[in-house]
Amino acid sequence: MAIIMADGAVYKVGGFPGWTSIGNVDYNNWAASNNFQVGDTIIFEYNAQYHNVMKVPYKMYKSCNVSEGTPLETFNTGNDSIKLNRYGHNWFICGFPGHCQNGLKVDVNVIRVSTTKPPTPSRTDDDDDDVQCPDCPNKASPFIASFGLIGLAILFLALAGF
């Protein structure tokens, strides 16, 4: 679920349950079902007595070993808002013992989306009108376009005097 704001969308990590080890939430499935953009905000809601949020490098995310390095950031308020300010992966884990290993981790991937449309080709007087174009309107006369081959055959027979 996302709330769209003028500055970007706001996502509650994990949806309704939030950031918790109860309920078997698949956080990576949740993340994959969203389309995160630069400027969006993710909110981690959790019980601060039992959880925290650590933004970590990939190696720490993969191993779930908090003693393996230094987290990039640590959050522990129970209601942490994090603005996504760059493209690419943002890895988060819970630093409480055993929580990451039990699935309390998420990979929030901010994708690059093109907001520009490809240029529309312009026509010049030199363009060949006989070129096949599936998006171009039918240039046949309305009579032929309406009746097709059967109508054309009937017209031919009528003109031939049958």
Side-chain angles (χ1 to χ4, degrees), residues 60-124:
M60 283 179 70
Y61 172 81
K62 189 73 175 163
S63 70
C64 286
N65 187 350
V66 295
S67 62
E68 192 170 275
T70 306
L72 303 172
E73 294 180 75
T74 300
F75 307 90
N76 52 21
T77 68
N79 191 18
D80 306 313
S81 294
I82 301 168
K83 187 153 188 152
L84 301 172
N85 56 15
R86 65 174 183 81
Y87 296 107
H89 295 272
N90 297 270
W91 295 288
F92 300 94
I93 66 173
C94 178
F96 278 60
H99 289 197
C100 178
Q101 291 86 342
N102 290 326
L104 202 49
K105 64 184 201 173
V106 66
D107 174 3
V108 175
N109 189 14
V110 178
I111 60 172
R112 194 178 301 260
V113 175
S114 174
T115 57
T116 60
K117 289 195 224 175
T120 304
S122 61
R123 293 188 53 88
T124 66

Side-chain angles (χ1 to χ4, degrees), residues 8-157:
V10 177
Y11 298 90
K12 179 180 175 184
V13 175
F16 174 74
W19 188 242
T20 182
S21 53
I22 300 171
N24 297 323
V25 178
D26 184 338
Y27 290 97
N28 285 326
N29 190 33
W30 169 84
S33 70
N34 290 296
N35 187 13
F36 301 105
Q37 304 294 313
V38 168
D40 289 350
T41 300
I42 55 175
I43 299 174
F44 287 86
E45 290 184 3
Y46 56 94
N47 184 330
Q49 290 181 317
Y50 303 109
H51 303 290
N52 66 7
V53 177
M54 300 171 83
K55 184 174 184 180
V56 296
Y58 177 73
K59 188 175 180 180
M60 283 179 70
Y61 172 81
K62 189 73 175 163
S63 70
C64 286
N65 187 350
V66 295
S67 62
E68 192 170 275
T70 306
L72 303 172
E73 294 180 75
T74 300
F75 307 90
N76 52 21
T77 68
N79 191 18
D80 306 313
S81 294
I82 301 168
K83 187 153 188 152
L84 301 172
N85 56 15
R86 65 174 183 81
Y87 296 107
H89 295 272
N90 297 270
W91 295 288
F92 300 94
I93 66 173
C94 178
F96 278 60
H99 289 197
C100 178
Q101 291 86 342
N102 290 326
L104 202 49
K105 64 184 201 173
V106 66
D107 174 3
V108 175
N109 189 14
V110 178
I111 60 172
R112 194 178 301 260
V113 175
S114 174
T115 57
T116 60
K117 289 195 224 175
T120 304
S122 61
R123 293 188 53 88
T124 66
D125 291 337
D126 297 348
D127 286 346
D128 185 0
D129 286 339
D130 295 332
V131 174
Q132 293 290 330
C133 176
D135 296 328
C136 295
N138 187 346
K139 292 188 178 183
S141 71
F143 180 77
I144 294 173
S146 297
F147 293 102
L149 291 176
I150 295 174
L152 191 57
I154 293 171
L155 177 64
F156 176 76
L157 292 173

